[in-house]
Amino acid sequence: MKGDGGWLLLVDDNEVNRDLLARRLQRQDPAVSVGKGRSQFNPVLLATRIGAGLAKQRTQNCEQDDLQKFTDEQQEKSERLLGKEETNG
């Protein structure tokens, strides 16, 4: 968790549970938002934020996949060129 740039929403109706868990999580360095209970959060807004976060993660995963494909293709081209030079040289 440390340094991954994410945030965590912690909601619990029990104050003792909420405080204990929040302290433990904050030691591990995520950004923690603490709420008193479900009634404090707008479910539509929360769902929108979660959806946006998931969409961002999917985009990042696709970018990483595309970059890996490009890198692999470049490596294959380089190896083919080196192979041709060795047979011609």
Side-chain angles (χ1 to χ4, degrees):
M1 272 190 174
K2 200 166 215 139
D4 69 355
W7 65 264
L8 178 73
L9 174 62
L10 170 64
V11 179
D12 195 306
D13 293 327
N14 184 305
E15 184 178 359
V16 174
N17 291 345
R18 190 173 56 241
D19 291 342
L20 179 66
L21 188 53
R23 278 186 265 130
R24 284 183 136 188
L25 290 169
Q26 287 166 340
R27 277 189 231 130
Q28 295 179 13
D29 197 30
V32 178
S33 296
V34 180
K36 292 182 180 177
R38 289 169 286 193
S39 62
Q40 183 177 355
F41 294 95
N42 179 332
V44 174
L45 180 59
L46 183 57
T48 302
R49 287 193 73 171
I50 291 171
L54 292 173
K56 181 180 177 182
Q57 183 64 47
R58 281 192 299 270
T59 300
Q60 290 173 342
N61 290 344
C62 287
E63 288 173 350
Q64 288 175 346
D65 291 345
D66 290 344
L67 180 60
Q68 186 62 49
K69 285 179 188 176
F70 177 76
T71 303
D72 292 345
E73 289 171 1
Q74 294 302 313
Q75 182 66 33
E76 287 176 21
K77 288 178 183 177
S78 295
E79 289 172 0
R80 274 190 258 131
L81 285 172
L82 288 174
K84 286 181 181 179
E85 289 178 4
E86 289 174 2
T87 58
N88 292 335

